[in-house]
């Protein structure tokens, strides 16, 4: 699979390196061409795949390159980056991993829904519940249980591609419902990240499945 990544930060590095290692072709993109190229070279070395390299390009080039595209930029710059990516995103699977600061999230302004409206892409909300370092783990397994990754989206083909990418990380994809429910996933991230910021163990708020009722 060809994966275009809009962004050249931690999420692009962590997820892009894992997917490159898993056999996919990856292009990252950023505003600073020199820094983006340097990150692509580091990702190539970290993945230890000698026969091909992680590529670096512009936002428009990465959008055109990918069979699936991931938006991995700060929420404040997301609109500008999606505009720079251009019309290549229309009708294409677009993974949205974006969060905002817990105190700033507004459920009346869903991020994933706005991305879909701006681009005409088949947006899938995913990978937004974990710190970037979790995505560097090979694989992310806790107490013998692979990490589960909820997905929210409307397009079956886009969801299937993202499920494959989740599985390539050694994680378990979970059906979280349609794109309208991505607002709940974004709000969940804002809530639990706020707990983590406060020093709480956010995972402790949920009981094991056998204690979840009939």
């Amino acid at each position: 699979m060809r994966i275009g990544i809009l962004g050249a930060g931690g999420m692009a590095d962590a997820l892009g390196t894992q997917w490159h290692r898993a056999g996919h072709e990856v292009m990252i993109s950023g505003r600073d061409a020199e820094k983006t190229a340097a990150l692509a070279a580091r990702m190539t070395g970290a993945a230890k795949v000698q026969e091909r390299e992680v590529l670096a390009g512009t936002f428009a080039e990465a959008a055109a390159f990918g069979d699936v595209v991931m938006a991995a930029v700060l929420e404040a710059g997301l609109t500008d980056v999606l505009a720079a990516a251009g019309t290549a995103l229309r009708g294409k699977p677009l993974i949205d991993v974006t969060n905002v600061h817990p105190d700033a999230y507004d459920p009346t302004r869903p991020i994933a829904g706005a991305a879909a409206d701006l681009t005409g892409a088949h947006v899938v909300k995913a990978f937004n519940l974990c710190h970037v370092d979790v995505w560097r783990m090979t694989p992310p397994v806790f107490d013998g249980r692979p990490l589960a990754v909820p997905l929210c989206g409307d397009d079956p083909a886009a969801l299937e591609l993202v499920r494959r990418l989740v599985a390539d990380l050694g994680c378990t994809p979970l059906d979280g419902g349609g794109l309208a429910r991505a607002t709940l996933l974004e709000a969940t991230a804002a809530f639990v990240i706020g707990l983590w910021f406060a020093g709480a163990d956010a995972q402790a708020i949920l009981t094991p499945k056998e204690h979840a009722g009939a």
Side-chain angles (χ1 to χ4, degrees):
M1 195 184 310
R2 289 160 65 103
I3 305 169
I5 300 180
L6 308 178
M11 290 291 279
D13 180 8
L15 288 167
T17 299
Q18 296 282 33
W19 288 328
H20 185 71
R21 184 181 291 125
H24 301 291
E25 298 179 61
V26 174
M27 177 185 286
I28 62 171
S29 57
R31 292 185 174 87
D32 187 314
E34 186 174 336
K35 290 182 179 179
T36 302
L39 176 60
R42 290 199 300 272
M43 291 168 66
T44 299
K48 300 179 180 179
V49 179
Q50 297 180 353
E51 61 270 22
R52 67 185 188 283
E53 298 179 347
V54 174
L55 304 175
T58 65
F59 295 128
E61 288 169 342
F65 174 84
D67 301 313
V68 58
V69 179
M70 180 173 72
V73 296
L74 296 176
E75 188 271 341
L78 181 62
T79 298
D80 289 343
V81 168
L82 293 177
T87 58
L89 292 175
R90 183 168 299 278
K92 186 171 285 191
L94 175 65
I95 305 169
D96 170 31
V97 306
T98 313
N99 285 323
V100 299
H101 191 280
D103 294 336
Y105 180 67
D106 181 354
T108 68
R109 300 175 60 192
I111 302 167
D117 291 341
L118 285 168
T119 62
H122 297 305
V123 175
V124 177
K125 189 79 184 190
F127 304 110
N128 70 313
L129 295 184
C130 296
H131 188 273
V132 62
D133 287 344
V134 171
W135 306 121
R136 302 185 195 280
M137 299 173 66
T138 52
V141 174
F142 301 92
D143 295 327
R145 182 176 61 184
L147 180 69
V149 180
L151 314 178
C152 291
D154 292 332
D155 184 75
L159 285 164
E160 182 56 32
L161 288 177
V162 182
R163 288 188 194 101
R164 287 173 53 193
L165 294 177
V166 170
D168 285 339
L169 300 173
C171 299
T172 303
L174 295 180
D175 180 7
L179 190 63
R181 289 177 61 83
T183 305
L184 301 179
L185 191 50
E186 293 168 358
T188 297
F191 184 74
V192 299
I193 290 170
L195 293 177
W196 286 325
F197 281 177
D201 179 3
Q203 192 177 40
I205 67 176
L206 297 176
T207 63
K209 182 180 178 181
E210 58 267 26
H211 296 285

